[in-house]
Amino acid sequence: MKSGKIPNQVLQVGFVFLLVGTSMILVRQHFIPESFGELGHYRADAVGVIASHEIQFAGWQACMECHEDQVAAKNNSFHRTLSCETCHGAAAEHASGEAEEDPPLPTGRALCLTCHRYLVSRPTGFPQIIEELHEPAKLCHTCHDPHDPTPSERPESCSGCHAAIARVKAVSHHAPLDCEVCHEVAPEHFLRPRSNIPRKPFERAFCGNCHAAGVDTPANFRGVDLTAFEVPKVDQDTHGGTLLCWQCHYQHSPEAR
Amino acid sequence: MNPAHQAQLEAALQQVTGFIYPNEAELHWSILVVIYPYITGLVAGAFILASLEKVFKVKDLQPTYRLALLTALAFVFVAPIPLQAHLGHPERAFEIFLTPNPSSAMAMFGFVYAWYLMVVLLLEIWFEFREDMVRWRQQSRGLKKLFYWLISLGSRDVSPGAVAFDHKAVYAITILGIPSAFLLHGYVGFIFGSVKANPFWSSVLMPIVFLFSAIVSGISLVLILYYITTLLRRKTLDQKCLNALAAFLFYALIIDLSLESLDFIHRLYESEESIEILAELIFSKLFISLAIVQILLGTIGPLLLLAFALFTGLPNELKRLAFFIAAIFVQVGIFSTRWNVVIGGQLFSKSFRGLTAYKLELGGQEGLLTALGLLILPFIILYVLLKLFPPWDDARTDTKPTEG
Amino acid sequence: MSKTYERREFLADLVKFPCATLLLGVSGPIKALASAGNEYQASEHNYAMGVQIEKCIGCGKCVEACKIENDVPMEPYYFRTWVERYIIYTDGEVSVDSPNGGINGFPPVESDKDILRTFFVPKLCNHCENPPCVQVCPVGATFKSQDGVVLVDDDYCIGCRYCIQACPYGARFLDPRTHTAGKCTFCYHRITEGLLPACVEICPTQARIFGELDKLSTPLNRMMRQSNIQVLKAHMNTEPKVFYSDLDGEVR
């Protein structure tokens, strides 16, 4: 080997590297998917493949085409937020006219209870029932039309809907008080609750009817004899400053800690 | 759908404590992904050990230089297999070369691996063994002759000038190879350390911790191999070499332990949102593999044993035995380190509210038998390599001294 | 309002929506109308979802609908969307559950302890603006589409599961049939046809609101104007596009 000349072994290794390198580049060019990189670092064709997935739920607008009456009734009722397929199941095949069978008409209590069984975590105000207590022998649709579920008769008690509040109140010092003791409830509330919201007392004077120092516990407060209970008294002029009662005491569980 | 797999998931769900996201019942990176960093760690560690002799002129380590290189090569061949085997679509693995995502830590694996295997290891070994390969070709016949001819790329030049050039090339490649070995395994650490969603992995220290544990594992593996091969060949062990290996193992272990402790203290002191679930994890599901195996048996134990053997006037026979036993324990410890990182990092929910379980299967694609096979395979490859390219000094007696 | 005011408003709108101005100006109204009814243009959309915690009743209908619509395995380990129940007791203990992803609803609370507050949280892929799953995909098999939806290319995914590790929300799984990553697509096949995602369509209380993030007069935008909006794990800087109203601090 002469100095200044590239050594043989480097030429040999270099040749192999060149061969491997070039073939890898050529192979790579050949195998990269055609649409790769068109829209970003991915196969643009994949978007179309994903978009072509088969639709299962037709959407309630599709139901409108044939079942206008039911949809209209539903849309005017408390079930207006439901989609037809929430209860009747995926019906795209039915909507396109290709299904051999009609979508199911659920008749048991199970489906309704999926949403309306009492669960403490459900939002206050959402209508919930305790399965065992609420007409256990009847099917839901005997009293409630699923497309317009407002009951034809008023619920027996407030806890039918306001279970979460009733549950708290039942173990509180205010347990003996009926809801109507504090809330003025218009009869329409039982039929159209949200458009006839009961009045909530918020003045200090209202609580003072029982709890103000120097005021005798009423023997007949809106029909309830309260003298049997030990009612805590406070001087409303000094107690709590300018705060309203409910800012510290939750009326449905008025702990004084 | 595989019924056995479904049964396994059901069993895992039974063992969940607290709350996990519903999709977290399945543990995704199995024992195969434990083996991957374990093996790459051995590769990087063995190579760094080899470079100690070449670049830093630690002459005592000369008997292990070529052995370390071949060990690195044997293990680097196996390194990608567990990764490939654990993919949902192994046949699509080549896509990582076609369309590597520049923002993905994992996408660089193919390139880091190719660079390390092709440019660093193969080149260094080729130049290191070229002169011998030419000679072995001259001495052998038939298929073997053809093999050496092919593998030496038809090279014939064994003039002093050409051999001197080989030495220079090896030196240059080793210098390039040290950062490459750091890259190879530091990068593996980055794959885990950069997952910000996982507080157990996400740590800037991860690549460095990986690196030093790699060095520890590489040195101890070469020590074990040197010990065994020398005894099998009925030669005498070079006590100076063993002493040097043990000393380097000792210092690397100390750095490794310090880094791990720093990581631990840092986490404990910062005490982030995830600290409670991680503490629960460490004291329940990871207690044996982390506290007992990794730290006590795999780190503190060998450290004490090595210190005792190195710094007391122990007879050489006992010293060697102590080194060997310490190295074995280090291997067990490093394997459990990998296990604790990979499996441990998946045993808690990202909701930080519960722990899941991992049950190692015996058979199957990701089972214990596959794992054992993959751990034995590099030793088989190494056996073949040692037969084809004997790295022993006595196999090259008729050549001139290494340094020209 | 007087006529002059309307004109001013119109002019202001033209300034606000330069694209529309350009379209009207250059192509004329006829062409603009034609393009509205025809081809779907991904670049014109940026989808997001709003979830109103206070409306969710935990019925699990969304979970069921999602599995049916998207052919997700019915086994309880694979979910594109799921519902979690949080119960925070007065002693500070937090209990979370999601039995089978909530697909069959939730059992009654067993504990006798006093409850401070309790609620349901529907979860799904957040279709992050900075999706960590897309960042880590080694081959470009998961990506953010032009309309802001994070999708998976089933024919290209190698099944390495790095994306599953990288998702802070547990929104991904490995489909046991295809061995590729599975996740919510916002029902991409539906939204590109003008339908709502199945979970949104089916939700009986309309707790989920789907829509365009960049358009001002949409139900989604109204909800975002009128509520306290939170996203999950904001500190991850993933910029989620599922927006929760009145989300409790305990939710992770």
Side-chain angles (χ1 to χ4, degrees), chain B residues 217-280:
Chain B
S217 71
I219 297 175
S220 83
L221 178 69
V222 174
L223 195 154
I224 294 168
L225 286 172
Y226 176 64
Y227 193 94
I228 293 177
T229 51
T230 312
L231 290 187
L232 287 179
R233 292 168 59 240
R234 297 171 194 283
K235 306 279 170 181
T236 41
L237 287 156
D238 182 336
Q239 186 63 35
K240 265 171 127 183
C241 175
L242 273 179
N243 282 347
L245 280 173
F248 278 113
L249 180 58
F250 180 72
Y251 298 129
L253 258 179
I254 286 183
I255 298 175
D256 186 36
L257 180 64
S258 315
L259 283 169
E260 300 242 19
S261 313
L262 173 62
D263 192 46
F264 179 74
I265 292 165
H266 187 83
R267 283 165 188 275
L268 205 63
Y269 196 82
E270 276 199 341
S271 184
E272 287 184 354
E273 194 183 11
S274 56
I275 192 76
E276 278 178 38
I277 193 74
L278 294 188
E280 195 185 327

Side-chain angles (χ1 to χ4, degrees), chain A residues 197-227:
Chain A
I197 292 171
R199 184 180 172 277
K200 295 179 182 182
F202 53 85
E203 341 52 85
R204 286 164 69 94
F206 183 85
C207 301
N209 284 331
C210 301
H211 294 291
V215 171
D216 288 335
T217 305
N220 181 2
F221 182 72
R222 300 195 183 175
V224 182
D225 179 8
L226 298 172
T227 49

Side-chain angles (χ1 to χ4, degrees), chain A residues 43 57 60 81 83 86 121-122, chain C residues 57 118 153 190 201-202 204:
Chain A
R43 271 186 344 122
F57 287 88
W60 66 269
T81 53
S83 172
T86 307
S121 308
R122 287 193 166 139
Chain C
I57 57 171
T118 168
D153 181 349
R190 297 176 63 85
E201 170 73 30
I202 236 64

